[in-house]
Amino acid sequence: MVDRLTRASELTVEEKASLTSGRSFWETEPVDRVGIPSLYLTDGPHGVRKQAQGGDHLGIGDSVPATCFPPAVALGSSWDAELLERVGAALGEEAKAEGVGVLLGPGINIKRSPLCGRNFEYLSEDPIVSGRLGAALVRGLQSQGVGASLKHFAANNQETDRLRVSADVDERPLREIYLRGFQHVVEQAQPWTVMCSYNRINGVYASEDPWLLTSVLRDEWGFDGLVVSDWGAVNDRVSALVAGLDLEMPSTGGVTDAQLVAAVRDGSLAESVLDTAANRVIELVEKALAGADADATYDVDAHHALAREVAGRSIVLLKNDGVLPLSTAAGRSIAVVGEFARTPRYQGAGSSQIVPTRLDNALDEVIALAGDATVAFAPGYVLGESADADAVALTAEAVGIAAAADDVLVFLGLPGEDESEGFDREHLELPAAQTALLEAVIAANPRVTVVLSNGGVVRVSGWSDRVPAIVEGWLLGQAGGGAIADVLFGVVNPSGRLAESIPVRIEDTASFLNFPGEKGHVRYGEGLFVGYRDFDARGAAVSFPFGHGLSYTTFAFGAPTAAPTADGGIRVTVDVTNTGARDGREVVQVYVSVPSSRVQRPVRELKGFAAVAIAAGATETVVVELPASDLAYYDTELGGWSVEAGDYVVEVGASSRDLRGSVTVSLAGDGRTAPLSVDSTLGEWLEHPVGGPILMAALAQSAEAEGMGAMLADPSLRRMAESIPLIRAAAFPGSPVTHDQLDQLVAAANA
C-alpha cells in the first residue's frame, strides 16, 4: 500500500501550479521537497510507445520495442469485449514493465467520415460498439495497475485543421452519437484519465469548456479522475483550469505555471481551483505508485501469440464464392501477388507508431502453411513511389505466375502516406497502379482472392463483383501476416464483422457535403444519421453493410423473444445454431426501432450485441441485455434523457441488412415529458399525458368549443390545427381558449 502523499493544501502556490503541467514531453513535474514523484505517460493505444530519449508526438523518434497489437480499426471488427479486455491487460503488463503509469488510449471517436485520416485509431461508426469495446480495453489495462486515458474528448472526427476547427453539432446528435460511447466507458470502467481533444465544439475549445469537462463529464457522468490535455491542446491555461482541465501536457518550460501563479496572486483565479487540479494529479500519482512494480516483466512470445489470435479474430471475410479456405493438397499451386504480402503495412502513421518486438509477413506465413501446395510470389508494384517505371515488367511477372496458378492471392492496400494522423484522406481509392495490376491478374486468372491492408475503408465497387473472395485485413499489428495465413487456409474460421459501412462511393456518405468544413468550422449537418443510420434510412446501396462478415460455416437464428426488464430495458433471447461442419463464431446483433416515436429516429439502431463461439452442429441460447439508458433518446426540451412509452421493434440478425427475426416489446417508458408552454403546439398539448386532458377539459367548458372540437375531429383539419402554437390559437377570434387562461393551463399541465 502506498503512503498517502502530501496534499495541495501543504504546498506553495508555485508547487501546485507545477504539478498541473509537464516536466518534460512525457513526465509530470515532481515536488521533491515533499516526496511527490513524477509520473510517466506515453502513447498507446495499441502498444507502448515509450521513447528512449527526448520526445515527440508524431511518431518520429525511436521508441523501445513493444508488442504491436492490432490497431483499433481491426479490434473494432472483433466485436468481442472479452478479447479486448485481454489485449488491455497485456498492454498493462508491458506498460508496467516499462515504468509507464498511464497509457494514452483507447481512442473511441466516431468514424463520422471514412476520409478521417485517423480512423485506423478508432473503433467504429457506432457509439454502442465503441463504448462497449472501449470499456473492455480500459478494464483490462487498469487491472494491471496502469491508467487509461480515454480520448479524444470530444467530437474529434477529422484531422483537417484539428488544432482549432469548431465541430458545430446540435445537442441531440452530440449526446447520442459523439458522447454516448465516452459516457459508457466513464460510467462502466472509470478510466483514470480522460484526454480532451484539440478542437472546438460549437465554438468553444474542448480544453476550456466547463460544460464538457465539468457539467457533463463530472456532474452528470460521475467521473472522478483527471482530465489531461492532448499534447499541445491548451489554448488558455487559466480558462482551461477553471473549466476542469487538470493537467497540461507536455511541458511549457514553466510559462503556463507562471500564468497560474500570477492569476492566483491577482485574485482572478481562486486558489481552491488550483488545489483541486493539483490534488487530482497527486491522486493519479498515488494510483500509479500503487500499481508500479520495478521487477515487472512480460512474456514477449506469449504476447506475440495473443497479437496473432486477436488479428485473426479481427479479419473480416467480405466475400467468398467457394475459393476459401485454400487447399494444401499436393499438385495445387498458389500465386501470391503484391508487395504488401512481403512488406506488411501493419499500423497507422503518427503518434501511435510502435516499434514491434518482431514482425511477421503474410508471404512467409502462407509458405509455412501451404503444406504440399507450391507458392510463387511476384511483387506487382513498388511501395512508396507514385509512379513506377517498371510497372510493365512487374505486371507481366505477376500475370505470368497468376496464369499458371490454381489460386491467386492479390495483396492490395493503402500506403502509409495516404492515411495518417495530421491530415485527412482525399478519396477512398486504392492506388491506380494496384487496381491496374488487379485488372491484369483477373484477366489472366479469375480465381482471385483480394487481401486488403488499410486503416480506413477503400472503394471496392469497381472490382468487387469480379473477384470470388475478398479478405478485409485492415492493419493487423506485428502478427498480422500469420493471422492472414491462418484465415486463408482455414486454421482460423473468420469471425470479424464490419464496425463501419463500406460505401459504394464517397459521395454516398452522409457527411460528404459537410467534410471537412472551411474557415475554421465544420457543420455536422447529417445530425444523427451517421454511417449505417443514414444508409439504412435512405435505403441506399452499400458495397458491404455495417455488421457484415462471413464465416466458413453457417448459422441459423431461431425466433427471438424479448421482455421488459425491471430497470426499464429489454432482455432479448435467441437460439443460434451452427448448421455447418466447422466450429465458428457468430456476432448476434440487436437493432431497435420505435415506429411511433414523437421524435426523429433512424429506422434502426444497434443497441446490443454478443460474440458467441458455437461448435459445429450445436445450438447456443444467446441473451442480450438492452439497458434503458441505451434505449433513451436525448430530449433537448427536457434537457435530459427520455425513454418513450410505446412499442419497440427489436430485430436480431447478422448485420444491419441481414435481419433474421423480429419481436415487438411494449415499454411503459420513464414518464419524463418536456414542460409545456404557451408556445407549445396544440398537437404537443394533446399528446402530453397531463396537458392533453387539461386542454380538452378547458375546451369542453367553453361555449365556443364546438367549432374547435369539430376541427380536431376532422383528420385533415386536425393535422393543420396541431401545428398551431397555443398562444396563436388563443388569438383567433372566437377561440375557446382565451389569453386569460393561458398561464393557468401551463401551470396546471406542468404542476
Side-chain angles (χ1 to χ4, degrees):
M1 189 71 178
V2 175
D3 292 335
R4 193 170 187 268
L5 298 177
T6 298
R7 281 324 193 236
S9 59
E10 303 171 56
L11 303 177
T12 67
V13 174
E14 289 78 7
E15 288 170 337
K16 297 173 191 178
S18 73
L19 282 174
T20 68
S21 65
R23 171 192 193 180
S24 63
F25 204 85
W26 299 117
E27 296 172 287
T28 63
E29 190 75 50
V31 182
D32 295 329
R33 180 181 68 83
V34 293
I36 299 175
S38 64
L39 171 72
Y40 201 101
L41 307 89
T42 198
D43 274 326
H46 61 277
V48 179
R49 193 177 80 91
K50 183 178 181 181
Q51 293 184 291
Q53 295 181 342
D56 70 77
H57 203 46
L58 297 174
I60 298 171
D62 203 3
S63 55
V64 299
T67 306
C68 181
F69 289 96
V73 62
L75 296 180
S77 290
S78 75
W79 292 61
D80 193 322
E82 181 276 332
L83 185 69
L84 267 64
E85 190 162 341
R86 290 169 57 200
V87 172
L91 290 169
E93 290 179 7
E94 298 197 19
K96 182 185 290 189
E98 294 294 347
V100 171
V102 174
L103 191 70
L104 304 179
I108 66 165
N109 293 98
I110 293 296
K111 300 184 182 189
R112 175 179 174 246
S113 167
L115 294 178
C116 175
R118 208 168 182 178
N119 274 356
F120 61 84
E121 207 168 300
Y122 302 139
L123 291 162
S124 179
E125 68 185 24
D126 181 86
I128 298 295
V129 175
S130 296
R132 297 296 186 277
L133 299 186
L137 285 165
V138 170
R139 283 193 300 269
L141 179 63
Q142 295 186 169
S143 72
Q144 303 303 306
V146 174
S149 194
L150 187 66
K151 63 182 189 179
H152 305 88
F153 190 59
N156 182 184
N157 310 105
Q158 65 184 63
E159 293 298 283
T160 301
D161 202 18
R162 64 173 178 161
L163 271 71
R164 62 178 185 177
V165 71
S166 176
D168 298 337
V169 52
D170 295 336
E171 186 171 15
R172 190 174 165 213
L174 179 61
R175 292 279 195 162
E176 293 188 28
I177 303 296
Y178 299 101
L179 296 184
R180 195 168 214 150
F182 284 98
Q183 181 175 359
H184 180 86
V185 178
V186 167
E187 292 179 344
Q188 300 301 318
Q190 278 294 336
W192 290 5
T193 76
V194 168
M195 180 191 291
C196 84
S197 55
Y198 290 116
N199 55 287
R200 294 176 293 155
I201 302 172
N202 295 322
V204 181
Y205 278 103
S207 63
E208 53 191 64
D209 188 342
W211 174 83
L212 182 72
L213 301 184
T214 297
S215 298
V216 172
L217 180 61
R218 295 191 184 278
D219 298 343
E220 292 185 26
W221 300 351
F223 178 65
D224 62 2
L226 174 141
V227 176
V228 60
S229 72
D230 202 341
W231 268 233
V234 174
N235 177 61
D236 181 303
R237 183 66 187 108
V238 176
S239 297
L241 191 81
V242 172
L245 184 113
D246 305 303
L247 175 62
E248 177 186 23
M249 290 297 288
S251 170
T252 63
V255 172
T256 55
D257 295 356
Q259 293 171 358
L260 295 178
V261 172
V264 171
R265 300 289 190 218
D266 67 20
S268 60
L269 173 65
E271 189 169 353
S272 60
V273 175
L274 181 58
D275 286 351
T276 297
N279 279 329
R280 287 174 182 155
V281 175
I282 293 169
E283 290 164 3
L284 178 62
V285 171
E286 285 177 336
K287 290 178 182 178
L289 287 175
D293 181 358
D295 298 321
T297 61
Y298 65 96
D299 188 328
V300 174
D301 292 336
H303 283 199
H304 184 79
L306 175 60
R308 182 166 180 158
E309 177 189 355
V310 174
R313 294 264 290 276
S314 302
I315 292 169
V316 182
L317 181 59
L318 294 177
K319 181 179 181 181
N320 183 26
D321 290 343
V323 298
L324 295 178
L326 297 173
S327 171
T328 62
R332 297 288 295 183
S333 60
I334 302 168
V336 178
V337 174
E339 185 59 45
F340 275 129
R342 181 172 63 180
T343 308
R345 179 159 182 257
Y346 57 96
Q347 63 179 328
S351 62
S352 64
Q353 283 191 309
I354 309 302
V355 175
T357 57
R358 56 186 277 195
L359 181 60
D360 298 342
N361 70 69
L363 178 59
D364 289 345
E365 299 296 330
V366 165
I367 292 171
L369 290 181
D372 293 326
T374 60
V375 178
F377 170 71
Y381 51 84
V382 176
L383 295 176
E385 297 183 13
S386 58
D388 182 11
D390 299 321
V392 174
L394 288 170
T395 300
E397 179 188 13
V399 166
I401 67 166
D406 295 305
D407 292 286
V408 185
L409 306 176
V410 180
F411 285 74
L412 306 176
L414 296 177
E417 58 267 23
D418 277 13
E419 53 179 356
S420 170
E421 176 183 356
F423 60 85
D424 290 319
R425 297 165 63 189
E426 297 179 359
H427 53 74
L428 296 184
E429 306 301 318
L430 288 167
Q434 294 186 26
T435 54
L437 170 69
L438 177 61
E439 294 292 347
V441 170
I442 292 172
N445 185 344
R447 193 177 168 88
V448 168
T449 295
V450 172
V451 182
L452 295 171
S453 298
N454 46 297
V457 298
V458 296
R459 187 175 72 86
V460 301
S461 57
W463 47 265
S464 60
D465 59 336
R466 291 180 290 116
V467 297
I470 307 173
V471 173
E472 178 53 90
W474 304 121
L475 306 178
L476 292 173
Q478 68 181 51
I484 289 171
D486 288 340
V487 167
L488 291 173
F489 286 100
V491 176
V492 168
N493 192 350
S495 59
R497 303 292 185 265
L498 290 177
E500 57 189 301
S501 311
I502 301 181
V504 175
R505 311 175 306 156
I506 186 58
E507 292 85 354
D508 297 332
T509 59
S511 62
F512 176 66
L513 294 178
N514 287 293
F515 184 94
E518 62 184 4
K519 298 186 183 301
H521 288 266
V522 54
R523 176 67 188 155
Y524 286 41
E526 67 279 2
L528 299 171
F529 295 89
V530 178
Y532 73 92
R533 288 172 167 81
D534 168 65
F535 292 124
D536 289 355
R538 292 188 292 113
V542 293
S543 288
F544 295 99
F546 176 81
H548 171 75
L550 303 178
S551 170
Y552 294 147
T553 189
T554 52
F555 299 96
F557 286 62
T561 61
T565 59
D567 73 343
I570 301 173
R571 178 177 295 110
V572 182
T573 305
V574 63
D575 287 342
V576 182
T577 301
N578 182 338
T579 54
R582 292 173 177 260
D583 296 350
R585 305 181 69 88
E586 177 63 293
V587 176
V588 177
Q589 302 165 40
V590 180
Y591 296 84
V592 172
S593 60
V594 188
S596 61
S597 177
R598 60 178 176 266
V599 296
Q600 184 183 49
R601 291 182 185 252
V603 294
R604 68 184 62 88
E605 294 182 279
L606 184 81
K607 294 299 179 184
F609 60 91
V612 187
I614 309 177
T619 298
E620 295 288 338
T621 299
V622 181
V623 179
V624 180
E625 301 282 351
L626 311 182
S629 58
D630 287 338
L631 299 175
Y633 78 94
Y634 193 82
D635 189 322
T636 54
E637 291 182 312
L638 189 63
W641 295 92
S642 177
V643 178
E644 289 183 277
D647 289 341
Y648 286 65
V649 177
V650 178
E651 297 177 287
V652 179
S655 82
S656 76
R657 298 278 178 97
D658 183 6
L659 303 169
R660 309 290 183 86
S662 68
V663 60
T664 299
V665 181
S666 181
L667 294 184
D670 55 19
R672 303 189 72 195
T673 55
L676 291 172
S677 72
V678 296
D679 290 318
S680 299
T681 65
L682 292 179
E684 290 166 344
W685 273 86
L686 293 172
E687 289 179 1
H688 195 276
V690 178
I694 289 174
L695 178 61
M696 293 305 293
L699 294 176
Q701 294 174 6
S702 170
E704 291 81 12
E706 185 175 347
M708 178 67 77
M711 177 180 283
L712 294 177
D714 185 309
S716 61
L717 294 176
R718 180 182 175 115
R719 291 185 65 184
M720 180 175 65
E722 284 179 341
S723 67
I724 303 173
L726 183 63
I727 192 170
R728 302 287 182 84
F732 285 120
S735 171
V737 178
T738 68
H739 275 279
D740 294 339
Q741 293 176 283
L742 293 180
D743 290 343
Q744 294 176 345
L745 290 173
V746 170
N750 295 326

